Amino acid sequence: AKSRSIDIFSYKILYYDINSMELVSSLTSYKCPISNCNEAIYDTLKSLTIHLGNKHKRYFCEICVKDSKNFLSDARIYSYDELQEHYDNGEFDDYMNILVPIHLNCYFCKKKFYNDETLLGHMIENHFECTICKQMTKGIVYHKDIRAIVSIYFSYFRKDEKRQYEF
């Protein structure tokens, strides 16, 4: 791995002093989090992730890294089994307060999302809300694609048409 740090100037942050700038640099660098690892800082998250998996058999939760509001230096690393447990159950402290929510699945895509907020954003962006279903169920209902919506509209209006002309 090359010895290179992230361009901290690309974050467009005004630093009060050099210590603040160095702190941000350390929080945002792609450095191996294993304390006794002598590897240098990596150019990309992908190269750091490959290093962690190949050399240490440790893994980031890619969902947490992408969607949590934490620095990479705060991200936990897991063994394979710990990561599966994390995906399935989330994480709690000793008092059962949620530290990391259970990662929710999109019913249509089978992709996992950090929390209900990121899942909802995905649903709005990638799937279709049905206004007929919303009126009938008094809740928001999403469908995988436009074909499902068209099918619902045709069946709904066909029933409505029959009702209108029944004597």
Side-chain angles (χ1 to χ4, degrees):
K2 292 180 185 177
S3 179
R4 195 183 122 207
S5 62
I6 295 174
D7 175 16
I8 59 173
F9 298 106
S10 66
Y11 288 101
K12 294 185 170 92
I13 299 172
L14 178 62
Y15 299 98
Y16 179 72
D17 58 20
I18 193 73
N19 294 334
S20 301
M21 189 168 74
E22 289 171 352
L23 175 63
V24 170
S25 178
S26 70
L27 292 172
T28 57
S29 66
Y30 298 126
K31 184 180 184 317
C32 180
I34 306 293
S35 58
N36 59 355
C37 182
N38 295 326
E39 298 291 324
I41 295 173
Y42 289 84
D43 288 335
T44 64
L45 177 59
K46 183 177 181 178
S47 58
L48 172 58
T49 302
I50 291 168
H51 161 78
L52 279 171
N54 290 342
K55 185 155 186 179
H56 305 292
K57 302 292 184 236
R58 296 283 181 219
Y59 309 91
F60 286 120
C61 170
E62 293 179 16
I63 298 163
C64 288
V65 168
K66 179 179 168 262
D67 290 327
S68 76
K69 296 176 178 27
N70 296 326
F71 287 111
L72 182 62
S73 59
D74 295 329
R76 185 163 171 220
I77 53 172
Y78 303 91
S79 69
Y80 180 80
D81 290 339
E82 290 169 338
L83 184 59
Q84 299 316 305
E85 177 79 14
H86 167 83
Y87 283 147
D88 295 338
N89 301 313
E91 292 182 29
F92 300 86
D93 65 14
D94 294 338
Y95 302 102
M96 296 308 290
N97 296 312
I98 297 173
L99 297 175
V100 178
I102 294 172
H103 297 322
L104 305 171
N105 283 321
C106 171
Y107 176 78
F108 305 114
C109 302
K110 308 302 182 216
K111 291 180 187 172
K112 289 187 177 285
F113 293 88
Y114 182 70
N115 57 18
D116 53 355
E117 185 180 313
T118 55
L119 175 60
L120 180 60
H122 164 79
M123 297 299 282
I124 290 168
E125 208 170 291
N126 296 284
H127 301 297
F128 294 85
E129 183 180 345
C130 179
T131 54
I132 293 172
C133 297
K134 186 176 182 176
Q135 288 174 346
M136 292 170 66
T137 64
K138 305 293 186 223
I140 299 173
V141 178
Y142 285 94
H143 296 278
K144 181 177 183 176
D145 53 31
I146 195 69
R147 290 181 304 195
I149 300 292
V150 169
S151 173
I152 289 166
Y153 275 59
F154 275 127
S155 66
Y156 181 80
F157 287 115
R158 201 171 301 131
K159 287 178 191 171
D160 196 45
E161 203 173 89
K162 286 178 185 174
R163 272 187 248 128
Q164 186 177 354
Y165 297 111
E166 285 179 347
F167 298 104

